[in-house]
Amino acid sequence: MDFQWTPEQQAFRHEVRAFLAEHLPPDWEQMAEGPASHAQTAFAREFCRKLAAAGLLVPHWPARWGGRDADPWTALILAEEMWMAGEPRGGQYMNVNWIGPTLMRYGTPEQQERHIPPMARGEVLWCQGFSEPEAGSDLASLRTRAERAGAGYRINGQKIWTSYAGDADYCFLLARTAPGKAGITIFLVPMDRPGITVRQIPSIIGEGDIHEVFFDDVEVAEEERLGAEGQAWEIIATALNLERVGIPRYALAAKAVRRAVAILQREGRFRGAVADQAARAAAACEAARLYSYALVDKRARGELPGPEASAARYATVLCERLAAEFVVEHLPEALAGGEPLLLAHHQRAIVAGIASGAAEIQLNLIASQLLKLPREPR
Ligand SMILES: Cc1cc2nc3c(=O)[nH]c(=O)nc-3n(C[C@H](O)[C@H](O)[C@H](O)COP(=O)(O)OP(=O)(O)OC[C@H]3O[C@@H](n4cnc5c(N)ncnc54)[C@H](O)[C@@H]3O)c2cc1C
């Protein structure tokens, strides 16, 4: 694999950096604390509109849907720069990474016309209604029901940990239409539909980040179902693969390590065991970056990511944890104020390995699918 960036790729990175330099406010690092605060989400709405107008929100989407037909490397460069800047797109990164592309693949022409152009213009915020109180890693056991009612469905149940739900316009919702894994169906539900109640869960990672969402006799039309009844599992397998390689969290972790090292060097405290630990964290960030690049390379060659996606994701979890531990051990005062970038990274790293799926599940997948280890006899 050739790891040199082409002149065009370098120019694109500069274009994104110049946009960020022009459009992020001087106090942005403070705002980037509390990754999904209401203030950041409100800022993201304006920011994404401007990003879209500059052709930088969905460059990797087809021109037909407002993109530039750019390759997966362009998407990666964009995501690296955004994540390093504290993800100023807020929850709209989900639209860009996987909700839009999933609708392009599985939506009806009407669903596509309705939902994709507003995403490409940076005007809508979606949330992901998957997890339930008893169904996180074991998503197939979810209990929210969608029962046939007249020409559509009636939905009852509860979701939990739903990021951005308090500000979202739509929910990409999983609900059960029949028993078992093959009985789960996707609905595209407006969040202002009667019967939906959103309750914020207090959290140290930012007010407005996670929520419970209750569905009480929520009526949805047949046309709001994505795909066929029971097709959710197939559709979300594609969607989650897009999501897993879509967040270059290593980029912010590496930046946090560099920032912490610079402070420690300035203060004459960067030596011995401190330097060793910094090197381990920096090496882990680099490993996660290269694992992710191998996946992007595969995608650029038109191949779907396989079980190596789990290795890339686990490597990323490890690097975020090592970077956070390094800062906590050697620069804890930075987290008490004065270094918003380090605090912003710390808040994101706290949930590494649980927020978009438990790390242990990735380890299971690495063991069974990548290393093909035998299962222990029961
Ligand atoms: C900040 C944050 C934001 C989130 N945002 C969203 C969102 O927007 N939408 C959404 O739908 N969900 C969201 N989630 C939920 C997230 O996807 C779940 O927390 C995650 O899938 C784990 O599920 P769980 O919390 O039920 O934990 P569990 O699945 O109960 O896991 C608990 C522990 O048991 C371990 N474990 C479970 N099963 C196994 C196994 N088979 N083998 C080995 N170990 C296992 C896990 O690794 C974990 O350590 C968010 C979570 C967080 C923390």
Side-chain angles (χ1 to χ4, degrees), residues 128 130-131 136-137 161-163 205 209-210 351 354-355 357-358 360-361 364:
Q128 173 185 346
F130 290 12
S131 306
S137 304
W161 313 124
T162 322
S163 301
I205 56 169
D209 186 84
I210 41 182
V351 296
I354 192 79
E360 290 74 17
I361 302 298
N364 289 351

Side-chain angles (χ1 to χ4, degrees), residues 35 93-94 98 126-139 159-165 172 174 203 205 209-211 243-244 249 313 321 347-348 350-364:
Y93 80 87
M94 292 196 283
W98 64 271
W126 284 67
C127 63
Q128 173 185 346
F130 290 12
S131 306
E132 298 186 2
E134 301 299 327
S137 304
D138 185 15
L139 196 53
K159 297 290 165 180
I160 195 166
W161 313 124
T162 322
S163 301
Y164 307 102
F172 192 98
L174 299 189
S203 121
I205 56 169
D209 186 84
I210 41 182
H211 308 79
E243 193 199 21
R244 281 186 182 137
R249 302 174 72 104
R313 213 173 106 54
R321 287 179 181 168
Q347 288 172 319
R348 286 164 170 84
I350 291 171
V351 296
I354 192 79
S356 34
E360 290 74 17
I361 302 298
Q362 303 304 322
L363 287 179
N364 289 351

Side-chain angles (χ1 to χ4, degrees), residues 114-115 124-128 168-172 188-191:
R114 175 172 188 171
H115 293 301
V124 281
L125 178 63
W126 284 67
C127 63
Q128 173 185 346
D169 305 294
Y170 286 93
C171 182
F172 192 98
L188 310 173
V189 186
M191 287 297 284

